[in-house]
Amino acid sequence: MPRILIMNAGTPQMSGAHLTKAQLSLAANSAFRSAWFAQEGDLIVSPVVIPADLLSFIGGTLNFHSSALRLLVPASRQSTILDDCTLLSKTVVERLKRHIRQKSDWQLYPCYSTEGVARLAAILGIPKTGDDFALQRGPDLLNRKSHFRQLATSVALPLPHGSVATDPNGLFKAVTSLKSETGTVIVKLDNGAGGVGNVILTSNKSDPLPGARDTRWVSWPSFDPEALWSEMTTASCKTLVVESYHLARSLFYLEYTIQDDASIAFVNSGSIRLRKSADRSERALIRTGLELPSDLEEEQLLAAQAHAYRFVALARDLGYRGMINIDAIFAQDGRLLFNEANGRWGGGSVLHNIAVRLLGVDYFGCNVILSVRNVRSASFRAAHDRLVKDGLIFDHTRKEGVIPLAADEKAGTVECVVIAPNRPAAHDQQHRLLKS
């Protein structure tokens, strides 16, 4: 059944009404990356034009004819966000209607199930279980950090101690009560995606820590809640979450799909990999990529899955259908702590999709999938040619090698996917990619 892929990452529901330049750039790059979900006959609705050579390479790699894909990019776009207003515009709706008349059965496959997506489904006559929940903006419950704490508490997920602040006084009380546990707290913007809305406050001199855009040394007596409140909150988001911060031994995520028939399927789990910047003034760690499967011990993975399943079951019972991922850590003291959930495509969703289509559904047992961000390259074509020249390009016979995923030509980098039979081989490929 052909699908309408809706590349609506970075919507106001996910990241707030006022996005930074970095967030806008990430949303555009997400569209290139998400093109790897495409299958023959699909229609892609994207906020940006996806290069023809990328679509051709995707088709060649995943064994389908990219000429059978169709791309719809709303005209006169002033930003790189496919919001509900644009999605429901007369021009977009009419173009979609003309296209879907060619075939009888279609599915909508959005990154984020917004109210606008549900309304579009009704207009196009493509009903989907979960649309009623989306019409009431239900998925927003699964993409807010404050709601996550509330829902996770109801199913007894292990969480860091914390509270929700809705004004500077509440922020001061939360920080004051939590700072003594570890000497470090994390303050999170309710709807900030990718850690860009988080600030870590610590009484210990520290290098940048995972999970935030900034790690700051503070003298608690001089802590100014008014200043931090003014800096972090936005016109569209006046809620902060404050938690005690725990150093992590393992950072990972778990991803599930809630099917239309209400069944829950475990999709994948991956480790989140970070590194320090070469720039000593940088106050955030650089996310280098994901590693599937996660490097958790079997007992740890089973424990995390048992807890996470309860949260996913709650999301199902509320009415949500679609993909959902949950971030967690094993702290240095061995405790399992959950951080947040996202009811949408996750960072590992594309990697899992590629692995299944190239290796089969049981790839976890005999392969390691590694995403490598920020590989220096002037363009997607240049990256591809280098991989061919160096003998690194994915080999369909051996079922291993490197696949260029998407380019950020403004930054001069490409994200690549390494497919290897084990972790040492995957890490060796990564080293070869980054050495030049």
Side-chain angles (χ1 to χ4, degrees):
M1 184 179 296
R3 304 169 303 169
I4 301 175
L5 303 184
I6 300 178
M7 311 296 201
N8 61 342
T11 61
Q13 294 92 335
M14 287 173 58
S15 303
H18 304 285
L19 283 85
T20 65
K21 289 183 179 180
Q23 287 172 308
L24 290 170
S25 177
L26 285 172
N29 293 337
S30 174
F32 299 155
R33 195 177 190 273
S34 298
W36 284 88
F37 281 118
Q39 300 173 8
E40 189 165 329
D42 285 350
L43 168 63
I44 301 172
V45 185
S46 169
V48 293
V49 174
I50 300 173
D53 62 341
L54 174 58
L55 293 176
S56 177
F57 180 71
I58 291 171
T61 303
L62 300 180
N63 194 31
F64 70 90
H65 294 290
S66 62
S67 60
L69 294 174
R70 293 295 177 267
L71 180 65
L72 192 165
V73 180
S76 302
R77 292 292 297 142
Q78 300 301 312
S79 73
T80 52
I81 300 300
L82 191 62
D83 56 25
D84 284 356
C85 183
T86 301
L87 201 57
L88 294 173
S89 66
K90 182 178 179 181
T91 301
V92 171
V93 170
E94 288 182 350
R95 289 176 67 184
L96 286 172
K97 282 183 174 179
R98 286 199 300 271
H99 185 82
I100 67 174
R101 288 195 193 107
Q102 300 171 18
K103 297 179 182 178
S104 58
D105 296 321
W106 287 86
Q107 288 182 327
L108 284 186
Y109 194 61
C111 172
Y112 189 112
S113 294
T114 64
E115 178 187 1
V117 170
R119 293 193 181 282
L120 180 65
I123 292 170
L124 299 178
I126 309 175
K128 183 178 183 297
T129 304
D131 281 351
D132 288 344
F133 187 63
L135 281 170
Q136 303 306 316
R137 303 185 181 181
D140 292 2
L141 291 171
L142 305 173
N143 291 274
R144 295 285 187 275
K145 295 176 178 66
S146 60
H147 295 156
F148 173 72
R149 286 195 65 86
Q150 294 157 354
L151 296 172
T153 299
S154 75
V155 291
L157 247 63
L159 303 175
H161 292 130
S163 61
V164 177
T166 55
D167 57 41
N169 185 53
L171 173 60
F172 179 77
K173 289 181 178 178
V175 169
T176 300
S177 66
L178 292 166
K179 63 184 176 62
S180 61
E181 183 174 355
T182 65
T184 304
V185 299
I186 183 168
V187 184
K188 305 176 180 180
L189 182 64
D190 202 24
N191 62 358
V196 297
N198 302 344
V199 172
I200 293 172
L201 307 175
T202 180
S203 60
N204 306 306
K205 294 289 186 180
S206 173
D207 288 332
L209 296 170
R213 63 176 169 82
D214 193 4
T215 300
R216 301 177 184 174
W217 178 82
V218 294
S219 172
W220 297 122
S222 62
F223 169 62
D224 185 350
E226 294 278 356
L228 188 60
W229 179 266
S230 177
E231 173 194 339
M232 293 191 65
T233 59
T234 67
S236 61
C237 184
K238 297 293 184 182
T239 302
L240 299 176
V241 170
V242 187
E243 296 175 343
S244 60
Y245 185 86
H246 298 261
L247 294 175
R249 179 191 304 166
S250 301
L251 297 92
F252 65 97
Y253 73 89
L254 302 164
E255 186 163 44
Y256 296 82
T257 295
I258 305 175
Q259 311 282 5
D260 287 350
D261 65 1
S263 62
I264 295 173
F266 173 70
V267 177
N268 68 87
S269 174
S271 298
I272 301 167
R273 299 179 300 113
L274 306 162
R275 67 170 175 84
K276 293 181 182 178
S277 171
D279 181 356
R280 295 179 65 87
S281 67
E282 178 61 57
R283 300 309 301 155
L285 294 175
I286 296 173
R287 183 176 289 232
T288 59
L290 301 173
E291 186 170 327
L292 287 65
S294 62
D295 57 2
L296 298 176
E297 296 175 2
E298 183 176 5
E299 184 178 346
Q300 291 177 318
L301 179 60
L302 291 175
Q305 287 178 316
H307 285 291
Y309 186 91
R310 296 199 304 276
F311 185 88
V312 178
L314 174 61
R316 173 197 61 192
D317 295 344
L318 288 171
Y320 178 72
R321 298 293 182 270
M323 302 186 79
I324 182 168
N325 50 85
I326 307 175
D327 290 350
I329 68 168
F330 275 98
Q332 288 189 348
D333 62 7
R335 279 190 292 170
L336 171 64
L337 298 169
F338 286 87
N339 295 324
E340 65 175 294
N342 296 288
R344 54 175 171 80
W345 298 344
S349 305
V350 165
L351 308 181
H352 174 79
N353 168 73
I354 292 170
V356 167
R357 292 166 72 176
L358 290 178
L359 308 172
V361 294
D362 58 349
Y363 74 90
F364 263 26
C366 52
N367 296 96
V368 171
I369 316 300
L370 202 69
S371 64
V372 186
R373 300 174 65 177
N374 303 319
V375 177
R376 301 302 304 176
S377 182
S379 67
F380 183 86
R381 171 55 59 183
H384 173 269
D385 292 347
R386 176 199 159 190
L387 292 172
V388 172
K389 178 174 178 284
D390 293 348
L392 294 174
I393 200 74
F394 179 78
D395 185 294
H396 286 265
T397 301
R398 293 186 295 110
K399 302 290 186 182
E400 62 180 284
V402 181
I403 300 170
L405 195 64
D408 182 344
E409 295 194 4
K410 288 183 179 179
T413 61
V414 172
E415 180 181 3
C416 295
V417 179
V418 172
I419 298 178
N422 52 57
R423 295 191 198 278
H427 295 162
D428 178 65
Q429 295 271 40
Q430 174 185 271
H431 176 72
R432 294 176 66 186
L433 280 173
L434 296 175
K435 69 179 180 179
S436 61

